[in-house]
């Protein structure tokens, strides 16, 4: 058995060696940190100041006005229009992209999508206004009846919960009066791109949900709303709308087919092709195209839609009268 003093001496030497190695590692790490800080200072020294970029943007913005005198600040880009417009109490303040990347990606994606099908879809529905930036038409373009369509993405851990990601509204003349990509309150876990057409870069210029909810609510208030399966659209908008002002092509009696268990709803894609000769939803959905199809279906049977709405209103009034008795 070795002497106790010899064992202690050996352990002390080993401990000293470990301390020396630890000290060297600390010195190496400190050196790397100093080097990294130096590189960051050098990068910062060559970076343009934030204020200068803002000033440059302000100088490049020109003030203009719409035909009816609504003040508009517009920044034009190729095939895109970013608009800030005031009209009554409604207001849109679009976030300005800090990079061309989202616009370039948007253009690239749009160029690869299927062209609108036969059936009279005109270029004005898919023009500069229906781009990355939010759009709101002048007040004189807002008709008494509006067509609405929304696209959804998935949120939550499984991505099965739907959240609003894009909304489009057309007037009775088939003109775009509102469009926006929407940034949900919750984190997106499934973009559902194959159906929604929404991609991560769309969120870089998207408008916060609460702002879109307020603006859409103001537009739809006291107006007839046309669409297909509107219950889903109102659900993701978290808005309610009077039933007597809803014209839903999914619920319209003559558009339903007779099934073994009674009448059942048909898809907008089927109705558009069968009744209008319009091919839609051949790939990623376009909310302007879907809103247009629903609007044309409504206009084709407008008289019957309105008679059915009046009958429903009378039935509700009768039921309400019985309850009061």
């Amino acid at each position: 058995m070795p002497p106790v003093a010899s064992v202690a001496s050996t352990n002390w030497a080993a401990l000293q060696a470990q301390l020396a190695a630890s000290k060297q590692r600390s010195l190496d790490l400190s050196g790397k940190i100093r080097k990294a800080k130096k590189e960051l200072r050098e990068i910062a020294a060559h970076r343009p100041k934030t204020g200068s970029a803002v000033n440059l943007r302000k100088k490049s913005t020109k003030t203009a006005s719409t035909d009816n005198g609504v003040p508009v600040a517009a920044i034009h880009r190729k095939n895109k229009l970013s608009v800030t417009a005031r009209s009554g109490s409604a207001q849109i303040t679009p976030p300005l992209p800090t990079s061309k990347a989202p616009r370039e990606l948007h253009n690239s994606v749009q160029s690869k999508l299927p062209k609108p099908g036969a059936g009279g879809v005109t270029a004005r529905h898919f023009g500069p206004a229906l781009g990355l930036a939010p759009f709101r038409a002048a007040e004189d373009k807002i008709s008494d009846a509006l067509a609405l369509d929304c696209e959804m993405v998935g949120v939550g851990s499984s991505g099965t919960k739907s959240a609003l990601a894009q909304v489009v509204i057309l007037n009775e003349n088939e003109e775009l009066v509102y469009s926006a990509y929407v940034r949900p309150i919750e984190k997106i876990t499934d973009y559902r791109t194959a159906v929604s057409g929404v991609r991560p870069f769309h969120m870089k210029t998207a408008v916060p949900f609460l702002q879109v909810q307020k603006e859409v609510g103001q537009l739809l208030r006291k107006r007839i709303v046309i669409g297909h399966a509107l219950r889903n659209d109102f659900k993701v908008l978290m808005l309610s709308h009077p039933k007597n002002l809803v014209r839903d092509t999914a619920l319209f009696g003559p558009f339903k087919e007779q099934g073994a268990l009674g009448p059942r709803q048909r898809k907008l894609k089927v109705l558009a092709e069968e009744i209008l000769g319009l091919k839609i939803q051949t790939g990623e959905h376009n909310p302007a195209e879907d809103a247009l199809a629903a609007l044309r279906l409504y206009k084709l049977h407008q008289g019957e839609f309105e008679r059915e709405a009046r009958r429903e209103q009378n039935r509700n009034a009768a039921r309400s009268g019985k309850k009061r008795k």
Side-chain angles (χ1 to χ4, degrees), residues 233-253:
D233 300 291
F234 290 134
K235 184 177 180 179
V236 293
L237 281 162
M238 298 185 190
L239 293 174
S240 60
H241 201 69
K243 286 187 177 180
N244 65 307
L245 294 178
V246 173
R247 305 293 183 267
D248 197 326
T249 55
L251 302 178
F252 185 55

Side-chain angles (χ1 to χ4, degrees), residues 156-178:
S157 57
S158 61
T160 55
K161 181 183 176 183
S162 294
L164 181 66
Q166 189 182 13
V167 57
V168 165
I169 300 175
L170 306 179
N171 65 14
E172 292 176 274
N173 295 324
E174 303 181 357
E175 297 170 320
L176 186 72
V177 296
Y178 186 93

Side-chain angles (χ1 to χ4, degrees), residues 135-311:
F135 174 83
R136 207 276 199 190
E139 194 63 30
D140 62 348
K141 295 290 185 181
I142 314 301
S143 54
D144 291 334
L146 299 171
L148 167 73
D149 191 74
C150 299
E151 294 300 333
M152 298 84 160
V153 292
V155 296
S157 57
S158 61
T160 55
K161 181 183 176 183
S162 294
L164 181 66
Q166 189 182 13
V167 57
V168 165
I169 300 175
L170 306 179
N171 65 14
E172 292 176 274
N173 295 324
E174 303 181 357
E175 297 170 320
L176 186 72
V177 296
Y178 186 93
S179 72
Y181 282 98
V182 186
R183 185 165 59 252
I185 295 173
E186 297 181 61
K187 182 181 178 181
I188 298 174
T189 50
D190 184 358
Y191 281 88
R192 305 178 184 175
T193 304
V195 175
S196 72
V198 179
R199 291 168 168 79
F201 72 80
H202 287 123
M203 294 299 108
K204 293 184 183 297
T205 54
V207 182
F209 169 78
L210 292 177
Q211 181 181 337
V212 171
Q213 182 193 48
K214 180 181 178 181
E215 291 163 354
V216 171
Q218 289 172 339
L219 275 174
L220 301 184
R221 187 170 179 267
K222 295 184 178 180
R223 289 187 168 93
I224 291 173
V225 180
I226 303 157
H228 191 82
L230 283 167
R231 177 177 174 273
N232 299 324
D233 300 291
F234 290 134
K235 184 177 180 179
V236 293
L237 281 162
M238 298 185 190
L239 293 174
S240 60
H241 201 69
K243 286 187 177 180
N244 65 307
L245 294 178
V246 173
R247 305 293 183 267
D248 197 326
T249 55
L251 302 178
F252 185 55
F255 288 166
K256 294 180 180 180
E257 67 178 1
Q258 191 64 36
L261 301 176
R264 62 185 183 188
Q265 299 175 14
R266 290 194 288 173
K267 293 182 178 180
L268 179 62
K269 178 179 180 178
V270 175
L271 293 173
E273 186 167 7
E274 183 180 304
I275 299 172
L276 303 173
L278 180 65
K279 289 187 177 181
I280 63 171
Q281 300 177 358
T282 54
E284 297 173 11
H285 292 197
N286 186 315
E289 201 173 53
D290 292 353
L292 176 66
L295 176 60
R296 288 184 177 177
L297 287 168
Y298 165 77
K299 289 164 76 173
L300 193 63
H301 296 269
Q302 186 170 355
E304 182 58 28
F305 262 103
E306 295 308 316
R307 284 191 291 273
E308 191 173 281
R310 284 195 292 273
R311 286 195 295 268

Side-chain angles (χ1 to χ4, degrees), residues 26-221:
S26 298
L27 290 172
D28 292 342
L29 181 60
S30 298
K32 289 179 180 179
I33 292 172
R34 284 195 298 272
K35 185 178 179 181
K37 287 182 177 179
K38 182 180 179 182
E39 289 176 355
L40 288 173
R41 284 195 297 270
E42 289 175 354
I43 292 170
H46 292 87
R47 184 185 298 165
K49 294 181 180 179
T50 305
S52 62
V54 172
N55 291 336
L56 181 62
R57 181 181 293 165
K58 287 181 178 179
K59 289 177 183 177
S60 65
T61 305
K62 296 181 180 180
T63 302
S65 61
T66 56
D67 294 339
N68 67 341
V70 178
V72 174
I75 301 175
H76 293 272
R77 298 290 186 269
K78 186 178 180 181
N79 296 327
K80 294 289 169 285
L81 178 65
S82 174
V83 177
T84 300
R86 289 182 181 271
S87 181
S89 59
Q91 179 182 355
I92 292 179
T93 307
L96 295 173
T98 56
S99 168
K100 291 184 179 180
R103 288 194 295 274
E104 290 168 357
L105 284 167
H106 182 77
N107 291 340
S108 174
V109 168
Q110 292 298 316
S111 67
K112 295 174 184 176
L113 292 179
K115 300 300 180 185
V121 179
T122 58
R124 72 172 179 267
H125 302 116
F126 312 99
L130 190 60
L132 277 171
F135 174 83
R136 207 276 199 190
E139 194 63 30
D140 62 348
K141 295 290 185 181
I142 314 301
S143 54
D144 291 334
L146 299 171
L148 167 73
D149 191 74
C150 299
E151 294 300 333
M152 298 84 160
V153 292
V155 296
S157 57
S158 61
T160 55
K161 181 183 176 183
S162 294
L164 181 66
Q166 189 182 13
V167 57
V168 165
I169 300 175
L170 306 179
N171 65 14
E172 292 176 274
N173 295 324
E174 303 181 357
E175 297 170 320
L176 186 72
V177 296
Y178 186 93
S179 72
Y181 282 98
V182 186
R183 185 165 59 252
I185 295 173
E186 297 181 61
K187 182 181 178 181
I188 298 174
T189 50
D190 184 358
Y191 281 88
R192 305 178 184 175
T193 304
V195 175
S196 72
V198 179
R199 291 168 168 79
F201 72 80
H202 287 123
M203 294 299 108
K204 293 184 183 297
T205 54
V207 182
F209 169 78
L210 292 177
Q211 181 181 337
V212 171
Q213 182 193 48
K214 180 181 178 181
E215 291 163 354
V216 171
Q218 289 172 339
L219 275 174
L220 301 184
R221 187 170 179 267

